[in-house]
Amino acid sequence: MYESLKKELRNFHLFILAFDQQAYIKLKELDLDRVTVISLEEFEDEDLLRVKGDRTAAEYCWTCSSKAVLYILENFDVSECTYVDADVCFFSDPSVLSGELGDKDSVLITAHRYSEYCDQTVRSGKYCVQFVTFKNNERGMKVLRWWVEKCIEWCFAVNEENRFGDQKYLDFFHEKFEGVHDLEHAGGGVAPWNVNQYSFREERGQIYMKEKISGNEAALIFYHFHSLIFYNKDVIQLAGGMYRIPDTAITSVYKRYIRYTEEVCRKYRLEQGFWKNENLFRDNDLDKLEHGKNYYQYSLFC
């Protein structure tokens, strides 16, 4: 994500919240340009520590997403802050997305835009906590502080009518607050749950996406590589088995991302790379991988 952001955007500063000491030490050693690394020791306050023991590691990360944005806006001299998931990769300049915020807008949220066959709106909410922007003004901070308060109160991987993790709270932003804007650019927020709505092509290094129904075309700004897993034994799962990934997305989007990971591993000397240490596949299984469940041989992408 960082390397793609650096490639596509000239003016940015990335704040990274390191959730363990090993990550903090490694990131500090790398001394990345335009990056501030924040340790848990610096970040955690009484409210977070009070609920930390009652939540799983994933639930605690969700609890901290809104709080991380608040921490940055309150402690650093920035006019706005965008929360970005670490498994996002940018393929074009994302400033066009924040540029949608008008003078009266203070918050930007992105809809899942689920495909009909995998619509999870009831379970996970209309909006996705993947790319969320808050301006450092009265309206923006009012929404953000409400979100922080709700996540401290309840943030679990449990499906309830109006709650799921940190995410379903976004469904109430429009109802409760003014100045909330839904991202309109089709190229922001492409992910496994909506990718089959598009076909993709490359031209002069830029990836373009065309909506199959309308025929409208746009540059791909970012892709959310949700649930992509690098297994050992030369196996990669592009996304959860329920999702339909079109061939043009595999060729144009996934191949480029997987090559990015190789470059990052070499550049930062990550010896184990991104591989998950699970022996789920035998050597004689590799020719029988179920592409319908998004399993592929890693070597096919190199």
Side-chain angles (χ1 to χ4, degrees), residues 61 65-66 68-69 81-86 129-133 147 166:
C61 286
S65 56
S66 56
V69 178
C81 180
T82 300
Y83 169 87
V84 182
D85 273 347
V129 181
Q130 58 182 347
F131 188 95
V132 189
T133 300
W147 188 26
D166 60 339

Side-chain angles (χ1 to χ4, degrees), residues 165-180:
D166 60 339
Q167 191 155 270
K168 246 183 169 181
Y169 295 124
L170 273 62
D171 286 15
F172 297 93
F173 280 11
H174 283 290
E175 176 186 323
K176 293 179 175 295
F177 305 101
E178 297 180 339
V180 179

Side-chain angles (χ1 to χ4, degrees), residues 134-135 137-147 176-178:
F134 293 88
K135 287 184 179 179
N137 59 23
E138 183 178 354
R139 280 185 171 179
M141 296 299 280
K142 184 177 181 181
V143 181
L144 179 57
R145 288 195 174 101
W146 179 85
W147 188 26
K176 293 179 175 295
F177 305 101
E178 297 180 339

Side-chain angles (χ1 to χ4, degrees), residues 40-206:
L40 276 185
E41 184 179 5
E42 299 172 76
F43 169 72
E44 289 178 318
D45 61 11
E46 290 182 4
D47 286 338
L48 288 171
L49 292 172
R50 175 170 48 83
V51 303
K52 185 176 184 179
D54 297 328
R55 301 181 185 184
T56 66
E59 290 167 346
Y60 188 62
C61 286
W62 295 346
T63 303
C64 291
S65 56
S66 56
K67 192 78 168 182
V69 178
L70 182 63
Y71 180 88
I72 291 163
L73 291 180
E74 289 184 334
N75 291 278
F76 297 90
D77 184 21
V78 294
S79 60
E80 65 181 48
C81 180
T82 300
Y83 169 87
V84 182
D85 273 347
D87 54 356
V88 160
C89 184
F90 294 96
F91 295 92
S92 192
D93 186 346
S95 62
V96 67
L97 307 182
S98 57
E100 288 189 14
L101 288 173
D103 294 338
K104 295 182 179 180
D105 298 320
S106 295
V107 178
L108 174 71
I109 51 180
T110 57
H112 279 104
R113 304 201 302 267
Y114 286 117
S115 295
E116 186 176 353
Y117 80 91
C118 65
D119 192 343
Q120 303 163 59
T121 303
V122 173
R123 175 184 182 274
S124 300
K126 178 180 178 180
Y127 300 97
C128 183
V129 181
Q130 58 182 347
F131 188 95
V132 189
T133 300
F134 293 88
K135 287 184 179 179
N136 196 354
N137 59 23
E138 183 178 354
R139 280 185 171 179
M141 296 299 280
K142 184 177 181 181
V143 181
L144 179 57
R145 288 195 174 101
W146 179 85
W147 188 26
V148 168
E149 180 182 329
K150 301 306 289 185
C151 289
I152 293 293
E153 175 187 311
W154 190 97
C155 188
F156 298 95
V158 176
N159 300 109
E160 295 193 355
E161 183 178 0
N162 294 316
R163 300 190 296 194
F164 176 72
D166 60 339
Q167 191 155 270
K168 246 183 169 181
Y169 295 124
L170 273 62
D171 286 15
F172 297 93
F173 280 11
H174 283 290
E175 176 186 323
K176 293 179 175 295
F177 305 101
E178 297 180 339
V180 179
H181 175 77
D182 285 16
L183 181 69
E184 298 174 358
H185 197 296
V190 187
W193 47 79
N194 60 41
V195 66
N196 79 312
Q197 300 172 38
Y198 310 98
S199 61
F200 297 82
R201 67 178 180 87
E202 295 184 63
E203 183 178 322
R204 298 179 181 178
Q206 174 66 61

Side-chain angles (χ1 to χ4, degrees), residues 146-283:
W146 179 85
W147 188 26
V148 168
E149 180 182 329
K150 301 306 289 185
C151 289
I152 293 293
E153 175 187 311
W154 190 97
C155 188
F156 298 95
V158 176
N159 300 109
E160 295 193 355
E161 183 178 0
N162 294 316
R163 300 190 296 194
F164 176 72
D166 60 339
Q167 191 155 270
K168 246 183 169 181
Y169 295 124
L170 273 62
D171 286 15
F172 297 93
F173 280 11
H174 283 290
E175 176 186 323
K176 293 179 175 295
F177 305 101
E178 297 180 339
V180 179
H181 175 77
D182 285 16
L183 181 69
E184 298 174 358
H185 197 296
V190 187
W193 47 79
N194 60 41
V195 66
N196 79 312
Q197 300 172 38
Y198 310 98
S199 61
F200 297 82
R201 67 178 180 87
E202 295 184 63
E203 183 178 322
R204 298 179 181 178
Q206 174 66 61
I207 299 177
Y208 293 93
M209 46 187 283
K210 178 184 288 188
E211 188 176 23
K212 293 177 181 178
I213 294 177
S214 69
N216 293 334
E217 191 171 67
L220 175 64
I221 306 299
F222 75 81
Y223 192 94
H224 187 170
F225 288 89
H226 173 77
S227 68
L228 186 151
I229 301 175
F230 295 83
Y231 290 104
N232 56 0
K233 292 292 184 183
D234 192 33
V235 176
I236 184 169
Q237 186 175 27
L238 301 184
M242 69 177 292
Y243 297 119
R244 304 170 187 169
I245 312 297
D247 290 341
T248 56
I250 293 173
T251 301
S252 297
V253 182
Y254 279 87
K255 277 192 175 183
R256 185 181 294 192
Y257 181 71
I258 291 165
R259 288 167 182 165
Y260 271 159
T261 65
E262 287 190 323
E263 293 171 10
V264 168
C265 287
R266 287 195 297 268
K267 180 174 182 177
Y268 296 113
R269 300 178 181 177
L270 304 175
E271 295 178 0
Q272 293 182 346
F274 297 92
W275 295 99
K276 191 167 185 172
N277 189 24
E278 291 188 9
N279 291 302
L280 298 183
F281 303 92
R282 297 184 299 274
D283 289 337

